[in-house]
Amino acid sequence: MSSGSSSLMWFRKGLRIHDNPALEYASKGSDFLYPVFVIDPHYMKPDPDAFSPGSSKAGLNRIRFLLESLSDLDSNLKKLGSRLLVLKGEPSEVLNRCLKEWDVKRLCFEYDTEPYYQALDVKVKGYASAAGIEVFSPVSHTLFNPADIIRRNGGRPPLTYQSFVKLVGDPSWASSPLSITLSSLPPIGSFGRCEISEVPTVEELGYEKTQQDEHSPFKGGESEALKKLRESIEKKEWVANFEKPKGDPSAFLTPATTVLSPYLKFGCLSSRYFYICLQDLYKNVKSHTSPPVSLAGQLLWRDFFYTVAFGTPNFDRMRGNKICKQIPWNDDDELLQAWREARTGFPWIDAIMIQLRKWGWMHHLARHSVACFLTRGDLFVHWEKGRDVFERLLIDSDWAINNGNWLWLSCSSFFYQYNRIYSPTSFGKKYDPNGDYIRHFLPVLKEMPKEYIYEPWTAPESIQKKAKCIIGRDYPKPVVAHDSASKECKRRMAEAYALNQKLTGLVSEEDLRNLRRKLEEDEKPEVKNKRQRKLIG
């Protein structure tokens, strides 16, 4: 048992030293400080039944990124005379045991809006308050406190970006300097009976060594995040002129964005510090882009989705989500698997899905292409199914943003122009006419002449032979004919929108079943036959 006052700093996200108000408060006036991370089996335990290596919640790329971030945090804590204490188990049980064992007087952790953490925090706060332990849980993962914004908006989250930006103005903390460095931390007290370990390796968690030919090129951790931030900020002109959604989705050797999203997701980089760096840069340049397209505008988008997600029950599903259109999506596992496993027969789509699986990351316009293709563009498969694949494979998968983007791209919420569809052939060609991106991620097509690389099924047999790639044998035929499939998707979206309007959003399961039946009866025979034949090569 430690004598003197002990604080426990519980790391979840917020895996950093800079701009970490919870850590700073935990270290103030404490004789002992216990910096803790709990390996949560819910998130980290290998799942042998999942469609790719990883746990039931996360692919191996993201787990590896998290472990790298924890190792970096550990080494940064060591420089301040401390270290990271890793424990394993159900977090609320582990934490409550440590609070008691170490006679902790103060528990500090960064506030988290995700439903999973909200439920966890209720358990931990309940135990702490019953034991007379002070709890400090500041908002520092986002620029604004979502609860404040919802309060200021009459108890509802603003549902458009413009209304959000108008409402929030400048962050109140931005007028005073952020605390970026800590000179030292209090020592760690005795561990008692709590089992402490070092940051585990992927193998120690029970994962087999993978013989993957290409890993995510992005390494986790605060040190890497700050280095990437410095490199981005040094490109003053590029930052000043940054304009989303422009940028080249096929640029993979040097991505056309900052690739800071995974560091923001895990809190290796403070969004507030990033925001301050951008504001300082904007003051020192002649002109710069503005929200929504600027880099600062991207941080505001992040806060917008966090706020809507926090204020919308069932935000992560269609049923019971009052801001989501009810649409009778296909329940077609074969099409879903073809998309997920890069077997759609559309090289642009398949190359993106391979980059996702190998790197755990792709450009936002590439994400738009494959999400549109799966849902309202071609396959008419439920956005929740696509969301699950992204949630698992992306290293920057963020609960609020991932769900928000899928709602957006499937035209289920936020964006309703369902007639605007990303072409699975001409969209990529615009950026990369030679198909270098496709050749890299789909080497089976690397000999295909550029005239045919986006639509290899149109290449004469002699060309296919010469390119050593016979369509239907070495690479699949397209799972749908894009022109007729997208027409059919538009027809279905129009009918679903009409039903939602007629029933003012109160669409029941039965209404959806009836509409699905009607849509299938009205489907043109050639589309129906095509769908039934399933041209998966």
Side-chain angles (χ1 to χ4, degrees), residues 247-261:
D248 180 354
S250 68
F252 60 96
L253 294 172
T254 310
T257 67
T258 61
V259 194
L260 287 170
S261 55

Side-chain angles (χ1 to χ4, degrees), residues 349-379:
I349 299 296
D350 292 343
I352 294 168
M353 294 307 288
I354 286 170
Q355 185 184 18
L356 167 63
R357 183 179 290 253
K358 288 187 170 179
W359 289 23
W361 183 90
M362 65 288 204
H363 187 275
H364 55 269
L365 289 178
R367 300 177 192 207
H368 292 190
S369 294
V370 293
C372 176
F373 181 85
L374 180 72
T375 57
R376 65 187 174 83
D378 290 79
L379 305 186

Side-chain angles (χ1 to χ4, degrees), residues 1-7 31-34 98-105 187-192:
M1 190 84 70
S2 311
S3 60
S5 73
S6 299
S7 290
D31 297 321
F32 301 103
L33 171 67
Y34 294 90
C98 293
L99 290 172
K100 189 175 178 184
E101 185 72 27
W102 299 335
D103 194 21
V104 169
K105 298 282 184 275
I188 293 165
S190 73
F191 298 147

Side-chain angles (χ1 to χ4, degrees), residues 116-314:
Y116 177 72
Y117 289 102
Q118 290 273 307
L120 207 52
D121 294 356
V122 167
K123 291 185 202 168
V124 174
K125 283 178 180 168
Y127 175 85
S129 63
I133 296 166
E134 180 193 354
V135 176
F136 181 66
S137 179
V139 173
S140 53
H141 188 62
T142 45
L143 303 178
F144 300 92
N145 181 345
D148 286 350
I149 297 166
I150 291 166
R151 229 184 348 265
R152 277 161 56 192
N153 199 46
R156 292 183 316 278
L159 293 180
T160 68
Y161 179 82
Q162 286 75 12
S163 60
F164 171 83
V165 171
K166 207 160 130 188
L167 185 71
V168 298
D170 294 324
S172 54
W173 49 263
S175 49
S176 47
L178 281 183
S179 170
I180 300 305
T181 51
L182 285 172
S183 50
S184 69
L185 290 169
I188 293 165
S190 73
F191 298 147
R193 287 166 301 179
C194 292
E195 273 186 55
I196 303 295
S197 69
E198 297 286 334
V199 176
T201 62
V202 168
E203 289 77 29
E204 283 165 351
L205 284 176
Y207 295 98
E208 289 168 22
K209 257 195 171 3
T210 50
Q211 296 303 309
Q212 201 171 312
D213 56 345
E214 198 174 349
H215 284 300
S216 173
F218 311 115
K219 190 170 177 288
E222 176 181 24
S223 306
E224 190 69 20
L226 292 173
K227 181 172 144 251
K228 272 190 182 305
L229 176 65
R230 272 194 305 277
E231 286 166 0
S232 291
I233 292 291
E234 276 163 14
K235 298 186 284 190
K236 281 199 174 75
E237 204 167 305
W238 181 82
V239 171
N241 297 320
F242 182 89
E243 200 171 332
K244 195 174 171 179
K246 289 181 184 169
D248 180 354
S250 68
F252 60 96
L253 294 172
T254 310
T257 67
T258 61
V259 194
L260 287 170
S261 55
Y263 303 96
L264 290 166
K265 178 251 168 4
F266 283 107
C268 303
L269 174 63
S270 151
S271 62
R272 309 193 310 174
Y273 180 55
F274 188 8
Y275 182 85
I276 290 283
C277 292
L278 289 173
Q279 298 307 326
D280 289 346
L281 182 144
Y282 292 154
K283 279 178 208 149
N284 295 312
V285 291
K286 276 201 188 105
S287 67
H288 60 84
T289 52
S290 301
V293 298
S294 62
L295 269 182
Q298 301 318 297
L299 289 174
L300 291 166
W301 273 112
R302 178 175 180 267
D303 266 66
F304 167 66
F305 278 137
Y306 264 85
T307 304
V308 182
F310 184 58
T312 307
N314 303 314

Side-chain angles (χ1 to χ4, degrees), residues 345-347 425 445 448 451-460 464 469 471 475-476 478:
F346 289 92
T425 52
L445 290 167
M448 193 61 75
E451 296 76 21
Y452 300 109
I453 190 131
Y454 284 87
E455 300 173 86
W457 63 91
T458 64
Q464 293 183 29
C469 180
I471 303 307
Y475 179 70

